[in-house]
């Protein structure tokens, strides 16, 4: 009670409301950035909390959470929601700003990317495509990538191909998405 009283005394009701609104906006922004990077939002953002998953897979999601914790640029926790492993994101610090949200999103997505690189087997033709060569035949791509990551891979590569129909997308361009 003392902390709430002190905050109200120092900031007033509008100031405290602004702090709460800021945390909620940052949680929504973080969830949106993660979605753009391949995460699935499991539940609509409520207040300052968000729940996300990766590859719709408990093991992948837990591995990303553990990697993000080891990385140290932000803190996330794996938990269970409706019997599935999710990453719970909570923004609760008054000092959090857009730059902090960007760092957190980049850190989590980098951990996800590292997981995919270590645990996804690509054949030589697909690797050549990722590095800027011609794409494999569309009907072959779906059988060569591990099923749980195939759709995610195609979702991120498709915009690059649409920008450059010759299939000469470099790895840097693909990561810029």
């Amino acid at each position: 009670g003392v902390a709430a009283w002190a905050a109200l005394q120092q900031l007033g009701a509008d100031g405290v409301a602004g702090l709460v609104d800021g945390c909620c906006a940052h949680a929504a922004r973080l969830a949106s950035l993660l979605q753009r990077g391949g995460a699935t939002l499991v539940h609509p953002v409520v207040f300052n909390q968000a729940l996300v998953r990766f590859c719709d897979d408990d093991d992948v999601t837990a591995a990303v959470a553990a990697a993000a914790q080891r990385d140290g640029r932000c803190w996330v926790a794996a938990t269970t929601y409706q019997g599935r492993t999710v990453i719970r994101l909570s923004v609760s610090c008054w000092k959090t700003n857009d730059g902090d949200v960007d760092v957190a999103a980049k850190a989590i997505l980098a951990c996800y990317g590292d997981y995919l690189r270590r645990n996804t087997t690509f054949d030589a033709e697909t690797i050549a495509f990722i590095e800027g060569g011609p794409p494999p035949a569309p009907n072959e791509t779906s059988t060569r990538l591990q099923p749980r990551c195939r759709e995610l891979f195609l979702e991120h590569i498709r915009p690059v191909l649409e920008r450059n129909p010759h299939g000469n997308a470099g790895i840097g361009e693909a990561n810029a998405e």
Side-chain angles (χ1 to χ4, degrees):
V2 172
W5 175 82
L8 284 169
Q9 289 298 312
Q10 182 68 31
L11 302 172
D14 289 341
V16 171
L19 290 176
V20 171
D21 289 343
C23 289
C24 296
H26 290 311
R29 185 165 180 271
L30 179 56
S32 176
L33 290 170
L34 292 176
Q35 278 185 287
R36 284 190 268 170
T40 300
L41 185 62
V42 176
H43 188 279
V45 178
V46 177
F47 200 53
N48 66 334
Q49 306 283 311
L51 300 175
V52 298
R53 288 177 53 80
F54 287 93
C55 285
D56 196 32
D57 185 285
D58 290 346
D59 293 336
V60 175
T61 301
V64 172
Q69 290 172 0
R70 286 189 305 272
D71 177 84
R73 287 180 277 174
C74 66
W75 178 258
V76 299
T79 190
T80 304
Y81 176 73
Q82 295 183 345
R84 303 296 307 267
T85 300
V86 298
I87 294 175
R88 185 176 67 84
L89 308 165
S90 179
V91 180
S92 57
C93 180
W94 65 273
K95 287 183 156 185
T96 301
N97 60 42
D98 285 344
D100 298 326
V101 172
D102 291 345
V103 167
K106 288 176 184 176
I108 295 165
L109 293 174
C111 293
Y112 176 50
D114 288 345
Y115 178 89
L116 288 179
R117 280 188 289 284
R118 284 191 320 274
N119 295 288
T120 303
T121 304
F122 298 110
D123 60 64
E125 189 178 0
T126 302
I127 291 170
F129 166 61
I130 292 169
E131 293 175 347
N139 60 347
E140 293 176 19
T141 302
S142 62
T143 61
R144 291 182 176 169
L145 301 177
Q146 290 182 2
R148 68 181 179 204
C149 295
R150 177 186 70 231
E151 289 304 315
L152 178 67
F153 173 78
L154 291 174
E155 177 183 317
H156 290 281
I157 291 300
R158 200 169 282 122
V160 175
L161 290 175
E162 289 170 359
R163 278 198 324 268
N164 187 349
H166 304 293
N168 296 325
I171 192 74
E173 293 171 356
N175 286 339
E177 285 297 312

